[in-house]
Amino acid sequence: MRDAKKIDKHIYHSLYMLAKGNQFKNKRVLLETIHDKKREMSEEKALAEQAAARKSRAKARLERKAAKTGDKSQE
């Protein structure tokens, strides 16, 4: 899976160490864990993108508000 670029090196290393420590009793359990980790990563990435979009919208709103108040003070 690592060679096929389905998981990154950090997940691979953590799962490798767990496998060496005999945490997975068979391959099915290991694959379920891999799918769970990938799902968690995608959820975190989506939340990070949403937060970035929210911050950019808030920044644009504040800039518009500052420009609006700047126009009023010049009058």
Side-chain angles (χ1 to χ4, degrees):
M1 288 219 160
R2 172 81 173 107
D3 296 334
K5 305 288 185 205
K6 293 186 178 184
I7 58 175
D8 63 353
K9 64 182 179 179
H10 304 292
I11 293 176
Y12 176 81
H13 180 71
S14 64
L15 292 175
Y16 177 81
M17 296 306 288
L18 290 174
K20 291 296 280 187
N22 204 18
Q23 292 286 343
F24 307 112
K25 69 178 187 178
N26 56 32
K27 188 175 179 178
R28 182 176 52 88
V29 176
L30 174 63
L31 289 177
E32 288 174 359
T33 305
I34 289 171
H35 292 304
D36 289 341
K37 295 274 188 187
K38 285 175 64 175
R39 180 182 44 80
E40 288 174 8
M41 278 185 43
S42 66
E43 288 175 355
E44 289 175 3
K45 186 176 179 181
L47 288 176
E49 289 174 356
Q50 289 174 0
R54 193 176 307 118
K55 284 186 178 192
S56 66
R57 285 196 309 265
K59 185 175 180 181
R61 187 179 68 239
L62 286 175
E63 289 173 355
R64 286 194 308 269
K65 187 174 181 181
K68 193 176 190 181
T69 57
D71 291 341
K72 285 186 179 180
S73 64
Q74 289 178 358
E75 291 177 354

